[in-house]
Each structure stands twice: as C-alpha cells, then as structure tokens.
Amino acid sequence: MSKDIEKTISDLRKTFYSGKTKTYDFRRAQLNGLLQFVTENERQILDILSKENRKPKFESCISEISHMKTEINEALTNLKSWMQPTKPRKHISYILDKVEIHSQPYGVVLIIGPWNYPFDLVISPLIGAIAAGNCAVVKPSEITPACAKFLEDTLPNYIDSSCYVVYNGGVAETTKLLEQKFDYIFYTGSTAVGKIIYKAAAKHLTPTTLELGGKSPVYLDDSADVELAAARIMWGKCWNSGQSCVEPDYLLCSEYMKDKFVKAAKKKIQEWYGEKMKQNADFCRIINQNHFKRLTKLLEGSTIVLGGHTDPADLYIEPTIVANVKTTDPIMEEEIFGPILPIITVETPEAAIEFINNREKPLALYVFSTSKIEQNKFLDGTYSGGICINDVLMHYSCSALPFGGVGASGIGTYHGVYSFDTFSHKRAALIKSLDRFGEFTQSVRYPPYTENKLKIINLVTMNIPGMDFVMSNATLPLLLVIFALLYFMYFKF
Ligand code: NAD
C-alpha cells in the first residue's frame, strides 16, 4: 500500500467540506462514470473473474455486471427525488412551522469488501455513497488480488479521484485504515471479522453497516413439488460453487421428503453438468487452498449421498449432499460457503421453526411449501435478514427490497433507495418564522408559569383521534379555532 492514509483521508475531508460531492449534477456525473466503468470494461471484468476461480461468465454477467448496472440505473433514475427533503405528518402544535427531514451525506466513508463477488460488493455500496453525496475510501479484498488491482488502476479513469480512492491491502493495512476516523463504515464479510470492524468503529463512535454471513436454512415442506424445489435449491448451491452469503446452507425436511429430494437433486445435477462434471465450464472452483481444506475437512466421516469427489490440485469440490447429520457435527457449526448441502430431518414445520429459532438469526431463510398456512407460520414465527418463499438467492437482486442481516448476520441494509438511506444522515429540520403573529401562539411557554398556560399546552399537545385528517384537509378553519381557543383561555382567564 503506497498511499499515506492519513493524508488521503485529510484530503478527502477537505474535498467533502468544499461541497463538491453534494450537488445533484456532480453525483449524477459520478454515477454515469461508474456506469461507463462497468460498460466499457465488461469483457475485462469477466476475464479477471474467470481467472480468479473459473467463475462462469454467465454467472459473472448476472451477479456482478448486471447487478451493478441495475443499481446504478436505479440511482440515476431516482436521484433527484431521493435528494428532496421529506415532509412527515406533523402534530397540530407545529401547524405554523416547516417540519422536514433532510438527507445529508455523512462525509468520508470507508467501504470494505469480500472476495466472493469482488466487484459488485464494493461498487454497489459505492453507488449509495456517491448518490448520498459522500467521499469514499474503497478497500477491496486481497483474496482476489487481480480484481483489487484492476479497481485501483481503472476506477480513477472514470470517477473523481479527489473524492473516491481505492486502497488495497490485507489485514495489516485494513487494521491501519480502521485506526483512522471515518464518518461511516460499510463492511461486507464474515461475522468474525465483522466483530473486529465494529470494535474499531466504536473507538470513534462511527456508525456502521455490517453485511455479514452465517447459515441460511432451507425448509422443504411435504406439500412442495420436490423436483422443482430440488432444481432451485441445487442451483443456489452450485451458483459460484456455493460461495455466496445467501447460499442455502442446510436443508430441513421430513424423512419422507429426504429420499425424494436426493433423487431429484441427482437428476438435476446429471442434467446440468453431465457425466464429466469436472470438465464442465459452468461450475466454478473454490477460491483458494485454505477454503478447499476447510470444506473437505467438513466432509470427513460424513454420509455422502450425492457427489463427494474433490481434487485439491484443481480446487474442485463436486456438488455434494450429506445425510445423517448431527447438529453437533462441525458442518452444522460454521457457515459452509461451498457446494456441500447437509440434510437434517425434522418431521413438522413447527420442529423446523424451533430448530431455526434455536440458532443465530440467519441472513436468509428459504421455505418451499404450497401451503399458505405453512408459509405464514415461517413468515410470522421466524426471524432472519430476509425470507424467500419457494426460491433461493432471488430476493438479493430485487432492488425494491432492503438487503441485510439481523443479529449475527448483520446490521443495516442496502440496495436501491436503501443504499441512499444507509449513506445519508436523516437530519431533523424544524423551520420556524420569527414574526409577531407566530410569537402569539408560542408565548404561552414563557414565565410566569400558570395553571392556565399548562392547561393550554396540555390541550394543544394531546393527541386527538382524527386530528391527522383535519390537519391535512382543513388547516385554515382549524387555525381559526385554535386562535379563538387560545385567545379565550389566555386572556379571559
Ligand atoms: P473476510 O471477513 O475474511 O474479509 C472481508 C474483508 O475484511 C476483506 O477486505 C479483508 O481484507 C478484511 N479483513 C479480513 N480480516 C481482517 C481483520 N482481521 N481486520 C480487518 N480487516 C480484515 O470475508 P471474506 O472471506 O472475504 O468473505 C466471505 C464472508 O463474507 C462470508 O462469511 C460471507 O457470508 C460474507 N459475505 C456477506 C455478504 C453480505 O452481503 N451479507 C456478501 C458476501 C459475503
């Protein structure tokens, strides 16, 4: 890492206070720059990603290129309205005042990304940071060094480098970064490192979003079409070789469904990848030897009912299903983050709900069921960052929905307008006039404090049912009534 971090942040802060990043035109120009970065470098980005872990271009197109473009276009389309102050419904006691909420940028923000979607997971938060008017330091993952270097070398050609800086490095460099005071930290990565980030942020009382991982369960109900469910679940397990934060981690189903599911999953894997699975270009590799060893260790002594082939030289792990799993097995104790699916049998939806609620709140929860009653049991009786009924992963790319975890799976959300909101401080603005007319209504608060003045204040500040309707539909008559009331109570008593 060559840049002097203290000077970089101090320069960024000066730029921020110059107001440069706050105008609508500047934010728009930078978002257009990001769009140009993605569009003009699409081929190179796909090549780099495929070199890192043989990620199929099809998957990269959807999960990186297309997602970044969608997020940028959504911000470009809505930026003007997002930037407008909002006017909440106000209490009658503020009838003469302007009550507004202004979205203000925090200042200089830090974005730390993981390796599994190395472009999207730093660019998507950066879209929110730019749209909200901040300066930013972006720290990509060192585990995907070619992506990190490409971002550092190329991004400055498209967005203003006096406002947005890519800072590369590993643990030592990130630790140094975290010693600095930022105005916001947006971190994506493991729960274990998330705790380190949160602790570092606490030193400066820096507000923080933590996009973390964990074990996202799938419940397969007896009512579900097992072939369809198996296709969707195994697709989620094979996408990026299961190296997604919202990958379906383990499957809960009845003994009756277990065999049917394994049979259907076998059929799908055969249909998708054929006999020579290892040679198939549509299935990517594990990111490095550390993760390969971690994953193959999880398979030791297990009952493999599908797949199980591995090759350390090629970092290859076949899509694998494991049965007869005990809750105390290591595979049920850590996030799998790979193409291995353990099955735990539970005989009722209630037992599945109890199983899920006895563990940390997951980032995602998947339920396959045709029964509305069973679906509602999970919607009402479980807790997770997001829930997706009858599919996996797909809620991630729905920008109308906030994406993020809860409890051990994270703090805060982003995507679409939620990214803008995440990187904006919602500043309360009460704007009053300084005229004599307004002062008449306000003077009741001044000494001498009397019983009558207290009666007036209590009357005005109490919540009257239906007053919201009157406030929005009959402000003038209401004002006259209030003044008459004040006049009689204040002067006649
Ligand atoms: P990681 O926590 O190892 O690393 C993430 C970032 O933190 C990297 O930039 C790294 O340099 C930095 N880092 C690592 N150790 C650090 C330390 N000791 N001090 C300071 N910084 C440190 O995560 P990863 O392996 O890159 O990513 C996989 C994890 O991320 C999984 O748990 C996955 O579920 C999670 N994830 C979550 C989301 C989400 O949106 N919620 C998305 C992708 C991945």
Side-chain angles (χ1 to χ4, degrees), residues 112-117 121 139-143 169-171 174-175 178 187-191 193-194 196-197 211-214 244-245 291 335 337 363 396 403 409 414:
I112 303 176
W115 56 264
N116 60 332
Y117 296 99
L121 293 178
K139 212 300 283 174
S141 171
E142 71 282 16
I143 308 281
V171 174
T174 317
T175 306
L178 289 166
Y187 166 81
T188 307
S190 61
T191 301
V193 176
I196 297 171
I197 307 289
E211 292 284 342
L212 310 176
S244 304
C245 55
H291 279 281
E335 178 184 14
F337 219 57
L363 182 57
Y396 179 86
F403 178 78
S409 59
Y414 75 133

Short mmCIF file of all heavy atoms in Angstrom, two decimals, residues 112-117 121 139-143 169-171 174-175 178 187-191 193-194 196-197 211-214 244-245 291 335 337 363 396 403 409 414, ligand 1:
data_model
loop_
_atom_site.label_atom_id
_atom_site.label_comp_id
_atom_site.label_asym_id
_atom_site.label_seq_id
_atom_site.Cartn_x
_atom_site.Cartn_y
_atom_site.Cartn_z
N ILE A 112 -15.47 -1.64 2.91
CA ILE A 112 -14.57 -2.81 2.91
C ILE A 112 -15.32 -3.98 2.28
O ILE A 112 -16.44 -4.29 2.69
CB ILE A 112 -14.13 -3.19 4.35
CG1 ILE A 112 -13.44 -1.99 5.03
CG2 ILE A 112 -13.19 -4.40 4.34
CD1 ILE A 112 -13.06 -2.24 6.48
N GLY A 113 -14.70 -4.64 1.30
CA GLY A 113 -15.41 -5.70 0.58
C GLY A 113 -14.79 -7.08 0.74
O GLY A 113 -13.62 -7.21 1.09
N PRO A 114 -15.59 -8.12 0.45
CA PRO A 114 -15.08 -9.50 0.49
C PRO A 114 -14.65 -9.97 -0.91
O PRO A 114 -14.74 -9.20 -1.87
CB PRO A 114 -16.32 -10.27 0.95
CG PRO A 114 -17.45 -9.54 0.29
CD PRO A 114 -17.04 -8.10 0.13
N TRP A 115 -14.28 -11.25 -1.02
CA TRP A 115 -13.74 -11.74 -2.29
C TRP A 115 -14.80 -12.42 -3.17
O TRP A 115 -14.56 -12.63 -4.36
CB TRP A 115 -12.60 -12.74 -2.04
CG TRP A 115 -13.00 -13.90 -1.16
CD1 TRP A 115 -12.81 -14.00 0.20
CD2 TRP A 115 -13.68 -15.09 -1.55
NE1 TRP A 115 -13.34 -15.18 0.67
CE2 TRP A 115 -13.87 -15.87 -0.39
CE3 TRP A 115 -14.15 -15.59 -2.77
CZ2 TRP A 115 -14.52 -17.11 -0.41
CZ3 TRP A 115 -14.79 -16.82 -2.78
CH2 TRP A 115 -14.96 -17.56 -1.61
N ASN A 116 -15.95 -12.81 -2.63
CA ASN A 116 -16.81 -13.73 -3.39
C ASN A 116 -17.55 -13.08 -4.56
O ASN A 116 -17.81 -13.75 -5.56
CB ASN A 116 -17.77 -14.50 -2.48
CG ASN A 116 -18.70 -13.63 -1.70
OD1 ASN A 116 -18.39 -12.48 -1.41
ND2 ASN A 116 -19.87 -14.15 -1.37
N TYR A 117 -17.88 -11.80 -4.47
CA TYR A 117 -18.34 -11.02 -5.63
C TYR A 117 -17.52 -9.74 -5.58
O TYR A 117 -18.01 -8.68 -5.13
CB TYR A 117 -19.86 -10.77 -5.55
CG TYR A 117 -20.64 -12.07 -5.63
CD1 TYR A 117 -21.13 -12.68 -4.49
CD2 TYR A 117 -20.85 -12.69 -6.87
CE1 TYR A 117 -21.81 -13.90 -4.56
CE2 TYR A 117 -21.53 -13.90 -6.95
CZ TYR A 117 -22.00 -14.50 -5.80
OH TYR A 117 -22.66 -15.70 -5.88
N LEU A 121 -19.63 -6.18 -4.76
CA LEU A 121 -19.77 -5.92 -3.32
C LEU A 121 -18.97 -4.72 -2.81
O LEU A 121 -19.06 -4.36 -1.65
CB LEU A 121 -19.46 -7.19 -2.51
CG LEU A 121 -20.51 -8.30 -2.73
CD1 LEU A 121 -20.14 -9.56 -1.96
CD2 LEU A 121 -21.92 -7.85 -2.35
N LYS A 139 -11.95 -0.40 -0.01
CA LYS A 139 -10.90 -1.39 0.28
C LYS A 139 -11.38 -2.76 -0.22
O LYS A 139 -12.10 -3.47 0.46
CB LYS A 139 -10.65 -1.42 1.79
CG LYS A 139 -9.22 -1.74 2.22
CD LYS A 139 -8.70 -3.09 1.78
CE LYS A 139 -9.23 -4.23 2.60
NZ LYS A 139 -8.83 -5.56 2.08
N PRO A 140 -10.97 -3.17 -1.44
CA PRO A 140 -11.38 -4.48 -1.96
C PRO A 140 -10.65 -5.61 -1.22
O PRO A 140 -9.69 -5.36 -0.49
CB PRO A 140 -10.95 -4.44 -3.43
CG PRO A 140 -10.55 -3.02 -3.70
CD PRO A 140 -10.16 -2.43 -2.39
N SER A 141 -11.07 -6.84 -1.47
CA SER A 141 -10.45 -7.98 -0.78
C SER A 141 -9.12 -8.34 -1.42
O SER A 141 -8.98 -8.37 -2.64
CB SER A 141 -11.38 -9.20 -0.85
OG SER A 141 -10.69 -10.33 -0.37
N GLU A 142 -8.16 -8.66 -0.55
CA GLU A 142 -6.84 -9.08 -1.03
C GLU A 142 -6.84 -10.53 -1.52
O GLU A 142 -5.90 -10.99 -2.14
CB GLU A 142 -5.79 -8.89 0.09
CG GLU A 142 -5.87 -9.86 1.27
CD GLU A 142 -6.97 -9.54 2.27
OE1 GLU A 142 -7.90 -8.76 1.96
OE2 GLU A 142 -6.92 -10.11 3.38
N ILE A 143 -7.93 -11.26 -1.24
CA ILE A 143 -8.02 -12.68 -1.64
C ILE A 143 -8.24 -12.77 -3.16
O ILE A 143 -7.92 -13.78 -3.78
CB ILE A 143 -9.19 -13.39 -0.90
CG1 ILE A 143 -9.09 -13.18 0.60
CG2 ILE A 143 -9.31 -14.86 -1.25
CD1 ILE A 143 -8.11 -14.04 1.33
N GLY A 169 -4.89 -3.71 0.16
CA GLY A 169 -4.05 -4.27 1.22
C GLY A 169 -4.76 -5.40 1.93
O GLY A 169 -5.93 -5.69 1.65
N GLY A 170 -4.01 -6.04 2.85
CA GLY A 170 -4.56 -7.17 3.60
C GLY A 170 -4.95 -6.76 5.01
O GLY A 170 -5.31 -5.60 5.25
N VAL A 171 -4.79 -7.70 5.93
CA VAL A 171 -5.24 -7.45 7.31
C VAL A 171 -4.47 -6.27 7.93
O VAL A 171 -5.08 -5.38 8.55
CB VAL A 171 -5.08 -8.73 8.17
CG1 VAL A 171 -5.40 -8.45 9.63
CG2 VAL A 171 -5.98 -9.84 7.63
N THR A 174 -5.66 -3.01 6.49
CA THR A 174 -7.04 -2.69 6.89
C THR A 174 -7.07 -2.27 8.35
O THR A 174 -7.83 -1.36 8.74
CB THR A 174 -7.97 -3.90 6.65
OG1 THR A 174 -7.65 -4.47 5.39
CG2 THR A 174 -9.42 -3.50 6.64
N THR A 175 -6.23 -2.91 9.16
CA THR A 175 -6.15 -2.54 10.58
C THR A 175 -5.72 -1.08 10.70
O THR A 175 -6.27 -0.31 11.50
CB THR A 175 -5.15 -3.47 11.31
OG1 THR A 175 -5.54 -4.81 11.05
CG2 THR A 175 -5.12 -3.21 12.80
N LEU A 178 -8.50 1.21 9.78
CA LEU A 178 -9.53 1.28 10.82
C LEU A 178 -9.13 2.14 12.01
O LEU A 178 -9.97 2.49 12.84
CB LEU A 178 -9.90 -0.13 11.28
CG LEU A 178 -10.70 -0.95 10.26
CD1 LEU A 178 -10.72 -2.41 10.66
CD2 LEU A 178 -12.11 -0.41 10.11
N TYR A 187 -19.16 -2.42 5.87
CA TYR A 187 -18.32 -3.62 5.79
C TYR A 187 -19.12 -4.82 5.30
O TYR A 187 -20.24 -5.07 5.78
CB TYR A 187 -17.75 -3.92 7.18
CG TYR A 187 -17.15 -5.32 7.28
CD1 TYR A 187 -15.86 -5.57 6.81
CD2 TYR A 187 -17.88 -6.37 7.82
CE1 TYR A 187 -15.34 -6.84 6.88
CE2 TYR A 187 -17.36 -7.64 7.88
CZ TYR A 187 -16.08 -7.88 7.41
OH TYR A 187 -15.57 -9.14 7.46
N THR A 188 -18.56 -5.56 4.35
CA THR A 188 -19.15 -6.84 3.93
C THR A 188 -18.10 -7.92 4.15
O THR A 188 -16.96 -7.80 3.67
CB THR A 188 -19.55 -6.81 2.44
OG1 THR A 188 -20.37 -5.67 2.22
CG2 THR A 188 -20.31 -8.06 2.05
N GLY A 189 -18.48 -8.98 4.85
CA GLY A 189 -17.53 -10.07 5.09
C GLY A 189 -18.04 -11.00 6.18
O GLY A 189 -19.24 -11.01 6.47
N SER A 190 -17.11 -11.71 6.79
CA SER A 190 -17.50 -12.73 7.77
C SER A 190 -17.95 -12.10 9.09
O SER A 190 -17.57 -10.97 9.43
CB SER A 190 -16.33 -13.67 8.02
OG SER A 190 -15.26 -12.92 8.53
N THR A 191 -18.72 -12.87 9.84
CA THR A 191 -19.19 -12.40 11.15
C THR A 191 -18.01 -12.19 12.09
O THR A 191 -17.98 -11.22 12.85
CB THR A 191 -20.20 -13.41 11.73
OG1 THR A 191 -21.28 -13.54 10.80
CG2 THR A 191 -20.76 -12.97 13.07
N VAL A 193 -14.83 -11.31 11.45
CA VAL A 193 -14.13 -10.05 11.17
C VAL A 193 -15.07 -8.86 11.42
O VAL A 193 -14.63 -7.79 11.87
CB VAL A 193 -13.54 -10.04 9.74
CG1 VAL A 193 -12.89 -8.70 9.43
CG2 VAL A 193 -12.51 -11.16 9.57
N GLY A 194 -16.35 -9.07 11.20
CA GLY A 194 -17.34 -8.02 11.46
C GLY A 194 -17.24 -7.51 12.90
O GLY A 194 -17.38 -6.30 13.15
N ILE A 196 -14.51 -7.42 14.69
CA ILE A 196 -13.28 -6.60 14.77
C ILE A 196 -13.59 -5.20 14.22
O ILE A 196 -13.20 -4.18 14.79
CB ILE A 196 -12.14 -7.26 13.95
CG1 ILE A 196 -11.77 -8.63 14.55
CG2 ILE A 196 -10.93 -6.34 13.86
CD1 ILE A 196 -10.81 -9.46 13.70
N ILE A 197 -14.32 -5.17 13.10
CA ILE A 197 -14.65 -3.87 12.46
C ILE A 197 -15.52 -3.03 13.41
O ILE A 197 -15.30 -1.83 13.60
CB ILE A 197 -15.42 -4.11 11.13
CG1 ILE A 197 -14.66 -5.06 10.19
CG2 ILE A 197 -15.82 -2.78 10.46
CD1 ILE A 197 -13.42 -4.55 9.55
N GLU A 211 -22.54 -6.13 6.74
CA GLU A 211 -23.21 -7.12 5.88
C GLU A 211 -22.46 -8.43 6.09
O GLU A 211 -21.39 -8.63 5.51
CB GLU A 211 -23.15 -6.67 4.41
CG GLU A 211 -23.98 -5.44 4.11
CD GLU A 211 -25.47 -5.74 4.03
OE1 GLU A 211 -25.86 -6.91 3.87
OE2 GLU A 211 -26.27 -4.78 4.14
N LEU A 212 -23.01 -9.30 6.91
CA LEU A 212 -22.26 -10.50 7.34
C LEU A 212 -22.84 -11.77 6.72
O LEU A 212 -23.70 -11.72 5.85
CB LEU A 212 -22.26 -10.58 8.87
CG LEU A 212 -21.84 -9.29 9.59
CD1 LEU A 212 -21.96 -9.44 11.09
CD2 LEU A 212 -20.42 -8.87 9.21
N GLY A 213 -22.36 -12.90 7.22
CA GLY A 213 -22.81 -14.18 6.65
C GLY A 213 -23.55 -15.01 7.69
O GLY A 213 -24.28 -14.48 8.51
N GLY A 214 -23.33 -16.31 7.64
CA GLY A 214 -23.99 -17.21 8.58
C GLY A 214 -24.63 -18.37 7.84
O GLY A 214 -24.44 -18.53 6.63
N SER A 244 -21.65 -17.94 -1.80
CA SER A 244 -22.49 -16.73 -1.74
C SER A 244 -22.96 -16.57 -0.30
O SER A 244 -23.26 -17.57 0.37
CB SER A 244 -23.74 -16.89 -2.62
OG SER A 244 -23.38 -17.18 -3.94
N CYS A 245 -23.09 -15.30 0.14
CA CYS A 245 -23.50 -15.07 1.52
C CYS A 245 -24.90 -15.62 1.77
O CYS A 245 -25.23 -16.01 2.88
CB CYS A 245 -23.44 -13.59 1.85
SG CYS A 245 -24.41 -12.59 0.71
N HIS A 291 -9.65 -22.42 1.83
CA HIS A 291 -11.09 -22.72 1.82
C HIS A 291 -11.33 -24.16 1.36
O HIS A 291 -12.24 -24.82 1.87
CB HIS A 291 -11.85 -21.71 0.96
CG HIS A 291 -12.11 -20.43 1.68
ND1 HIS A 291 -13.12 -20.30 2.61
CD2 HIS A 291 -11.47 -19.24 1.66
CE1 HIS A 291 -13.10 -19.06 3.11
NE2 HIS A 291 -12.10 -18.41 2.54
N GLU A 335 -20.58 -21.57 8.97
CA GLU A 335 -21.12 -21.27 7.63
C GLU A 335 -20.36 -22.14 6.62
O GLU A 335 -19.13 -22.17 6.63
CB GLU A 335 -20.89 -19.79 7.35
CG GLU A 335 -21.36 -19.33 5.99
CD GLU A 335 -21.00 -17.85 5.74
OE1 GLU A 335 -20.19 -17.27 6.48
OE2 GLU A 335 -21.56 -17.29 4.79
N PHE A 337 -20.38 -22.16 3.02
CA PHE A 337 -19.78 -21.34 1.97
C PHE A 337 -19.07 -22.20 0.92
O PHE A 337 -17.93 -21.97 0.54
CB PHE A 337 -18.78 -20.35 2.59
CG PHE A 337 -18.81 -18.99 1.97
CD1 PHE A 337 -19.99 -18.27 1.92
CD2 PHE A 337 -17.67 -18.42 1.42
CE1 PHE A 337 -20.04 -17.01 1.34
CE2 PHE A 337 -17.70 -17.15 0.85
CZ PHE A 337 -18.88 -16.45 0.80
N LEU A 363 -29.01 -14.78 7.68
CA LEU A 363 -29.09 -13.70 6.70
C LEU A 363 -30.30 -13.93 5.79
O LEU A 363 -31.03 -13.00 5.46
CB LEU A 363 -27.79 -13.69 5.86
CG LEU A 363 -27.64 -12.61 4.80
CD1 LEU A 363 -27.74 -11.22 5.41
CD2 LEU A 363 -26.29 -12.76 4.09
N TYR A 396 -32.16 -11.30 -3.26
CA TYR A 396 -30.97 -10.44 -3.22
C TYR A 396 -31.02 -9.38 -4.31
O TYR A 396 -30.66 -8.23 -4.09
CB TYR A 396 -29.70 -11.31 -3.38
CG TYR A 396 -28.44 -10.48 -3.37
CD1 TYR A 396 -27.82 -10.14 -2.17
CD2 TYR A 396 -27.88 -9.99 -4.55
CE1 TYR A 396 -26.68 -9.34 -2.16
CE2 TYR A 396 -26.75 -9.20 -4.55
CZ TYR A 396 -26.15 -8.88 -3.35
OH TYR A 396 -25.03 -8.08 -3.35
N PHE A 403 -31.69 -5.12 1.58
CA PHE A 403 -30.91 -6.34 1.78
C PHE A 403 -29.97 -6.16 2.97
O PHE A 403 -29.20 -5.19 3.02
CB PHE A 403 -30.09 -6.69 0.53
CG PHE A 403 -29.25 -7.91 0.76
CD1 PHE A 403 -29.84 -9.17 0.71
CD2 PHE A 403 -27.91 -7.82 1.10
CE1 PHE A 403 -29.09 -10.31 0.98
CE2 PHE A 403 -27.16 -8.95 1.37
CZ PHE A 403 -27.76 -10.20 1.31
N SER A 409 -26.12 -12.00 11.69
CA SER A 409 -25.94 -11.92 10.24
C SER A 409 -25.82 -10.47 9.73
O SER A 409 -25.66 -10.26 8.53
CB SER A 409 -27.05 -12.66 9.49
OG SER A 409 -28.32 -12.14 9.80
N TYR A 414 -28.99 -2.34 2.47
CA TYR A 414 -28.74 -1.51 1.28
C TYR A 414 -29.46 -2.08 0.09
O TYR A 414 -30.34 -2.92 0.24
CB TYR A 414 -27.23 -1.29 1.06
CG TYR A 414 -26.39 -2.42 0.50
CD1 TYR A 414 -25.49 -2.17 -0.53
CD2 TYR A 414 -26.43 -3.71 1.01
CE1 TYR A 414 -24.66 -3.16 -1.04
CE2 TYR A 414 -25.60 -4.71 0.51
CZ TYR A 414 -24.72 -4.43 -0.52
OH TYR A 414 -23.91 -5.40 -1.01
P1 NAD B 1 -13.48 -11.66 5.46
O1 NAD B 1 -14.21 -11.23 6.66
O2 NAD B 1 -12.36 -12.61 5.62
O3 NAD B 1 -12.86 -10.40 4.69
C1 NAD B 1 -13.62 -9.29 4.30
C2 NAD B 1 -12.75 -8.05 4.31
O4 NAD B 1 -12.26 -7.83 5.63
C3 NAD B 1 -11.55 -8.12 3.39
O5 NAD B 1 -11.44 -6.92 2.66
C4 NAD B 1 -10.37 -8.30 4.32
O6 NAD B 1 -9.20 -7.65 3.88
C5 NAD B 1 -10.85 -7.65 5.61
N1 NAD B 1 -10.30 -8.31 6.79
C6 NAD B 1 -10.07 -9.64 6.95
N2 NAD B 1 -9.56 -9.89 8.18
C7 NAD B 1 -9.46 -8.68 8.80
C8 NAD B 1 -9.01 -8.26 10.08
N3 NAD B 1 -8.53 -9.12 10.97
N4 NAD B 1 -9.04 -6.94 10.38
C9 NAD B 1 -9.51 -6.05 9.48
N5 NAD B 1 -9.95 -6.39 8.25
C10 NAD B 1 -9.93 -7.68 7.91
O7 NAD B 1 -14.60 -12.23 4.48
P2 NAD B 1 -14.40 -12.96 3.10
O8 NAD B 1 -13.79 -14.29 3.35
O9 NAD B 1 -13.74 -12.04 2.13
O10 NAD B 1 -15.91 -13.13 2.63
C11 NAD B 1 -16.71 -14.23 2.99
C12 NAD B 1 -17.66 -13.87 4.11
O11 NAD B 1 -18.37 -12.71 3.77
C13 NAD B 1 -18.71 -14.94 4.34
O12 NAD B 1 -18.92 -15.07 5.71
C14 NAD B 1 -19.95 -14.39 3.65
O13 NAD B 1 -21.14 -14.89 4.15
C15 NAD B 1 -19.78 -12.93 3.91
N6 NAD B 1 -20.47 -12.15 2.89
C16 NAD B 1 -21.54 -11.43 3.25
C17 NAD B 1 -22.25 -10.72 2.28
C18 NAD B 1 -23.46 -9.91 2.62
O14 NAD B 1 -23.89 -9.12 1.78
N7 NAD B 1 -24.06 -10.05 3.79
C19 NAD B 1 -21.83 -10.75 0.96
C20 NAD B 1 -20.72 -11.50 0.65
C21 NAD B 1 -20.04 -12.20 1.62
#
